[in-house]
């Protein structure tokens, strides 16, 4: 594509890539950490997909006996938990890691070791929360269910020790606390990176839109995760030590959980979708060969969504009966938040308008994102009206709505990003024929799965029921949805195969700038050198590389790389303290598993917990001291 | 280092090569720490919201005025607030290179923090013997959780201050020592300010 300019030709760096396992464990390189996030998140995404297929298989026909009610509860709980916390969020984090420093002209994130620490804490928590599936395979190990089965929302007081006996909820609540810590640490790192490591001349409105959306998302994470963490801590105290926070018989109020959960849960919705919106805002202008239409509006809309996102949580709770004033207020804010979202839709449409669109795989995913997300957005804003919401609450209509937003939206956007940025990340092109086939099959499968759910919901089919009786007129659309789900899975499988081939290095070698991009990351050679930028460029516009190539703007690309750039560029050395510290943090939080008393305080268990946690807290302190001693320079 | 406001306007590429170059004009560590404190506000905010929504909702006693002794808590509050003053002096010492002053006031601040924690342990012990337990009623659950969360913050702060004093004397910190002490101070002041809010809503409101 970039026929006229090949600035990077002849700038191949001699790359003595160390690919040993040890080098990956100790890496502090944001590009490698991004790749680790991408691969692990995609594996969890596939795992969550299999759980969804099992759920759909059970619902194919009325009164199917494929799964027991208990297994069904476990699968829909873990499907949502896996997809949200272990699939979409870390897939977004993969792009944050890889792209933010490259887009703003930095050599790494501000705190590279903290970045590695975030990844390892995430991985620890992810494995921890999936561990019950493995434990479940050992017969007779536990007499009560051990796989989380309380729904991803874990409503109190169903999660109390009285109504959820066994360790299932404990794995869920402690796993989420560990994963939350990883996202919190990462958010401080990314926000500081974006604000402080921008290349000279890159004012805030010259920051690429993806990085802007990443900043909004990380502010949302920093402010919303504390609320669910406190909610989970209170739940943990209730289950472990017999406190009264969610027990109505002792004056507690289960609604407190709903407020704390949705105060996190609604910003979380934007945490899931804004990174995909950022990717689409990079892909559509590039494939349309036009600047993003009204880029400041897209950025301001993202900021506005972030702000209002904190003021709409009670629309998840209209059926609670908070009263007409609260319902009216949250109804209005929910309608308002649709406005900045719609602004973005029109910006993307106007970006494509009159452009000579290159219909590659990334473009197809991004364009269908706009359509599918709009459908999900429209069915969403319907629920801003409490009377409508009362009808649809807990029905398949809601399932249809958020899968259009999260699958048609977030996943399609992230898949677009995978096809778009893969060449820069891994140095080979993903197979375009496979990509287009994957897109077409996923597009058909996605609509076949989720569109009929609108009908099912409108006909009154409730969510989370493991089976249904014949004669309710639900047979046809359930069958169609299941067929659609397996078609969808085929589409995902094709992309998975394309990615595996890419990881094995098969396929066309990627040029440095395959799509004729506008921003700094495309000005770098592929593979990107360890230090990213030999000379940090000075930026004069919001599309610096485009200007250099097509508008005669000042050069930002690197030109000839010195024979030994390491002489000039000092990069942080690898470190194994992040993984050690992450392990100690994870184990310290895991210690709460020992303190359980089945809703009563149990002195012996508490003592075990304190000893276990004490050991790992001291180990954590030592590893943090070594961490500081390794590089004692405050930045 | 070079990341001061004066350098911000005349940035050159050479400046940008430095690890210490900060586009916003605030040191990386300090900026990240401010964001952490913003996040910590939401931790405390959630707990304070919980406490307020459960205030007066206990079905059985003991109730706040059955156990509170506001005089003792006022003394410990005064000690904690004064430690903010000594923390400022420690930061001043670090910034102006008066090592002895910095070290002395780091230790004084740590001592104030430790005595606050001591007061809290005494208070918890006293309340427990008055019959206020974590499990007994809503007031007990919410009181111990909120003040315990804050007390943990103070205890971590004391540990941090002591480690800071060790680093400082051993010369562990390279480069900008003052920045490190200043960030320690940010944490300490935050913990103090939060206590003012907690003291007001838990104790003072009961006497209105």
């Amino acid at each position: 594509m970039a026929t006229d300019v090949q600035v990077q030709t002849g700038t191949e760096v001699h790359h003595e890539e160390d690919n040993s396992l040890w080098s990956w464990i100790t890496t502090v390189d944001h590009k490698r950490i991004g790749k680790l996030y991408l691969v692990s998140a995609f594996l969890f995404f596939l795992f969550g997909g299999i759980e969804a297929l099992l759920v759909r298989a059970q619902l194919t026909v009325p009164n199917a006996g494929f799964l027991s009610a208990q297994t069904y509860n476990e699968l829909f709980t873990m499907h949502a938990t896996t997809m949200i916390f272990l699939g979409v969020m870390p897939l977004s984090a993969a792009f944050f890691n890889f792209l933010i420093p490259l887009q703003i002209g930095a050599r790494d994130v501000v705190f590279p070791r903290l970045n590695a620490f975030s990844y390892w804490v995430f991985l620890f928590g992810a494995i921890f929360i999936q561990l019950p599936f493995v434990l479940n395979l050992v017969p007779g190990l536990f007499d009560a269910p051990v796989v989380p089965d309380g729904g991803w929302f874990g409503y109190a007081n169903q999660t109390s020790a009285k109504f959820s006996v066994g360790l299932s909820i404990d794995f869920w609540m402690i796993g989420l606390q560990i994963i939350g810590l990883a996202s919190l640490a990462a958010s401080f790192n990314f926000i500081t990176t974006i604000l402080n490591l921008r290349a000279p001349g890159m004012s805030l409105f010259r920051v690429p839109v993806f990085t802007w959306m990443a900043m909004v998302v990380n502010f949302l994470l920093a402010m919303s995760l504390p609320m669910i963490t406190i909610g989970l801590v209170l739940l943990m105290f209730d289950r472990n030590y017999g406190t009264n926070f969610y027990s109505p018989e002792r004056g507690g109020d289960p609604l407190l959980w709903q407020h704390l959960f949705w105060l996190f849960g609604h910003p979380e919705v934007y945490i899931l979708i804004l990174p995909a919106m950022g990717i689409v805002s990079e892909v559509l202008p590039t494939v349309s060969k036009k600047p993003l239409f009204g880029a400041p509006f897209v950025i301001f809309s993202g900021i506005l969504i972030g702000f209002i996102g904190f003021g709409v949580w009670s629309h998840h709770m209209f059926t609670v009966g908070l009263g007409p004033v609260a319902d009216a207020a949250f109804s209005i804010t929910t309608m308002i938040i649709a406005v900045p979202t719609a602004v973005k839709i029109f910006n993307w449409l106007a970006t494509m308008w009159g452009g000579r669109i290159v219909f590659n795989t990334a473009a197809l995913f991004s364009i269908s994102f706009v359509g599918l997300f709009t459908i999900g957005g429209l069915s969403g804003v319907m629920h801003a009206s409490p009377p409508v919401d009362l009808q649809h609450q807990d029905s398949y209509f809601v399932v249809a709505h958020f899968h259009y937003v999260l699958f048609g939206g977030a996943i399609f956007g992230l898949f677009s990003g995978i096809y778009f940025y893969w060449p820069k990340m891994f140095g080979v092109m993903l197979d375009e024929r496979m990509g287009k086939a994957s897109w077409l099959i996923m597009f058909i499968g996605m609509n076949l799965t989720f569109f009929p759910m609108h009908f099912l919901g409108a006909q009154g089919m409730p969510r989370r029921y493991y089976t249904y009786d014949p004669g309710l007129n639900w047979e046809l659309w359930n069958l169609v949805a299941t067929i659609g789900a397996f078609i969808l899975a085929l589409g995902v499988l094709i992309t998975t195969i394309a990615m595996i081939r890419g990881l094995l290095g098969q396929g066309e070698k990627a040029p440095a700038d395959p799509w004729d991009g506008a921003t700094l990351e495309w000005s770098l050679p592929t593979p990107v050198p360890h230090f990213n930028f030999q000379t940090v460029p000075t930026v004069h516009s919001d599309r610096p590389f485009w200007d250099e190539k097509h508008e005669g703007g000042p050069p930002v690309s690197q030109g000839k790389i010195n024979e030994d750039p390491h002489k000039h560029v000092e990069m942080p050395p690898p470190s194994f303290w992040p993984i050690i510290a992450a392990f100690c943090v994870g184990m310290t939080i895991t210690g709460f598993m020992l303190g359980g008393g089945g809703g009563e305080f149990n002195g012996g268990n508490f003592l075990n917990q304190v000893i276990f946690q004490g050991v790992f807290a001291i180990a954590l302190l030592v590893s943090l001291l070594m961490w500081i001693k390794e590089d004692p320079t405050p930045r | 280092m070079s990341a001061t406001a004066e350098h911000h306007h005349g940035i050159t590429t050479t400046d940008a090569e430095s690890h210490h170059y900060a586009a916003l004009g605030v040191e990386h560590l300090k900026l990240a720490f401010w964001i952490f404190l913003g996040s910590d506000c939401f931790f405390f905010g959630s707990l304070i919201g919980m406490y307020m929504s459960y205030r007066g909702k206990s079905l059985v006693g003991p109730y706040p005025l059955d156990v509170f002794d506001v005089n003792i808590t006022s003394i410990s509050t005064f000690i904690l607030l004064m430690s903010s003053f000594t923390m400022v002096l420690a930061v001043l010492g670090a910034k102006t290179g008066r090592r002895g002053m910095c070290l002395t006031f780091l230790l004084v601040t740590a001592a104030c923090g430790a005595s606050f924690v001591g007061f809290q342990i005494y208070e918890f012990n006293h309340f427990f013997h008055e019959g206020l337990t974590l499990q007994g009623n809503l007031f007990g659950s919410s009181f111990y959780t909120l003040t315990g969360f804050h007390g943990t913050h103070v205890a971590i702060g004391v540990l941090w201050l002591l480690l800071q004093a060790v680093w400082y004397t051993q010369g562990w910190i390279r480069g900008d020592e003052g920045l490190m002490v200043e960030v320690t101070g940010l944490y300490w002041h935050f913990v103090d300010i939060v206590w003012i809010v907690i003291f007001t809503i838990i104790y003072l409101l009961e006497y209105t």
Side-chain angles (χ1 to χ4, degrees), chain A residues 14 24 46 55 58 164 167 193 234 277 291 340 356 391 394 445 461 483 491 514 521 530 590 602:
Chain A
H14 177 60
W24 282 90
L46 295 179
V55 163
Q58 163 70 14
S164 282
L167 291 175
T193 302
L234 300 183
M277 287 180 165
R356 304 221 283 160
Q391 289 296 313
D394 276 341
M461 180 168 168
I483 293 170
E521 71 270 30
H530 177 46
T590 303
N602 181 321

Side-chain angles (χ1 to χ4, degrees), chain A residues 209-529:
Chain A
V209 178
F210 173 78
T211 298
W212 252 112
M213 292 306 113
M215 181 150 74
V216 174
V217 166
N218 281 292
F219 268 110
L220 290 179
L221 285 168
M223 295 191 286
S224 68
L225 279 168
M227 296 189 270
I228 192 182
T229 306
I230 293 300
L232 290 165
V233 166
L234 300 183
L235 174 65
M236 191 168 75
F237 277 25
D238 268 9
R239 287 181 63 86
N240 277 13
Y241 314 132
T243 51
N244 316 314
F245 296 113
Y246 303 131
S247 54
E249 70 272 23
R250 286 183 286 180
D253 189 353
L255 271 189
L256 176 67
W257 166 266
Q258 291 197 25
H259 282 295
L260 287 174
F261 181 80
W262 288 117
L263 266 164
F264 152 80
H266 203 85
E268 170 71 14
V269 172
Y270 299 105
I271 290 166
L272 298 172
I273 195 66
L274 283 173
M277 287 180 165
I279 289 170
V280 170
S281 304
E282 299 288 335
V283 172
L284 285 180
T286 310
V287 298
S288 310
K289 309 259 177 262
K290 286 174 64 188
L292 182 62
F293 182 85
F297 280 88
V298 178
I299 293 170
F300 269 118
S301 299
I303 299 171
L304 205 58
I305 288 173
F307 271 104
I308 309 175
F310 279 98
V312 298
W313 80 92
S314 280
H315 68 215
H316 297 270
M317 300 165 62
F318 281 148
T319 47
V320 161
L322 296 172
V325 176
D327 282 359
F330 284 100
S331 172
I332 291 166
T333 52
T334 306
M335 289 179 201
I336 290 174
I337 204 169
V339 175
T341 319
V343 166
K344 288 185 171 222
I345 305 271
F346 285 109
N347 277 298
W348 293 321
L349 292 178
T351 302
M352 289 187 282
W353 187 264
R356 304 221 283 160
I357 303 174
V358 183
F359 287 98
N360 53 34
T361 311
L364 292 171
F365 272 111
S366 275
I367 295 166
S368 40
F369 166 98
V370 178
L372 296 173
F373 180 80
T374 306
I375 296 175
L378 287 175
S379 63
V381 82
M382 285 167 70
H383 301 123
S385 161
V388 176
D389 185 82
L390 295 186
Q391 289 296 313
H392 288 158
Q393 171 100 14
D394 276 341
S395 80
Y396 261 85
F397 197 91
V398 178
V399 181
H401 152 64
F402 66 71
H403 278 96
Y404 264 87
V405 178
L406 289 182
F407 204 100
I411 291 292
F412 267 55
L414 289 166
F415 268 56
S416 176
I418 288 174
Y419 280 92
F420 194 67
Y421 290 111
W422 189 277
K424 187 53 79 186
M425 286 176 100
F426 293 97
V428 288
M429 308 293 288
L430 283 181
D431 192 306
E432 273 291 306
R433 279 171 313 164
M434 287 176 86
K436 283 177 182 165
S438 171
W439 166 78
L440 184 65
I441 296 170
M442 278 173 74
F443 185 79
I444 295 169
M446 132 98 216
N447 284 293
L448 217 49
T449 311
F450 300 119
F451 208 84
M453 292 184 185
H454 290 110
F455 308 142
L456 287 170
Q459 288 170 345
M461 180 168 168
R463 298 167 72 177
R464 308 188 188 109
Y465 282 31
Y466 83 108
T467 193
Y468 53 95
D469 277 334
L472 293 163
N473 211 11
W474 297 342
E475 288 93 336
L476 172 66
W477 293 123
N478 268 307
L479 182 63
V480 171
T482 303
I483 293 170
F486 281 88
I487 294 175
L488 181 54
L490 178 67
V492 174
L493 184 67
I494 296 173
T495 290
T496 312
I497 294 169
M499 284 170 70
I500 292 171
R501 292 187 62 218
L503 283 177
L504 297 174
Q506 294 171 8
E508 194 191 327
K509 198 168 170 309
D513 181 22
W515 321 115
D516 199 9
T519 38
L520 287 179
E521 71 270 30
W522 303 111
S523 75
L524 293 168
T526 299
V528 181

Side-chain angles (χ1 to χ4, degrees), chain A residues 107 111 184 191-192 196 198 200 222-223 226-227 241-245 251 253 536 538 570 601 629 632 634-635, chain B residues 13 16-17 19 21 23-24 26 28-29 32 35 39 42-43 46 54 59 134-135 137-138 141 145 172-174 176:
Chain A
R107 296 213 166 106
F111 307 111
L184 273 180
I191 295 170
T192 313
N196 255 1
R198 282 169 289 136
M223 295 191 286
M227 296 189 270
Y241 314 132
T243 51
N244 316 314
F245 296 113
D253 189 353
V536 173
T538 301
E570 192 195 335
F601 182 75
K629 204 164 165 53
R635 306 215 147 84
Chain B
T13 311
E17 300 294 326
H19 272 309
Y21 162 75
L24 207 66
V26 182
H28 304 325
L29 185 65
I35 299 161
S39 183
F42 283 80
F43 277 99
S46 306
Y54 282 163
L59 301 181
L134 186 65
Q135 296 84 10
N137 60 5
L138 263 190
S141 297
T145 306
W172 267 33
I173 306 294
R174 274 203 309 262
D176 196 347

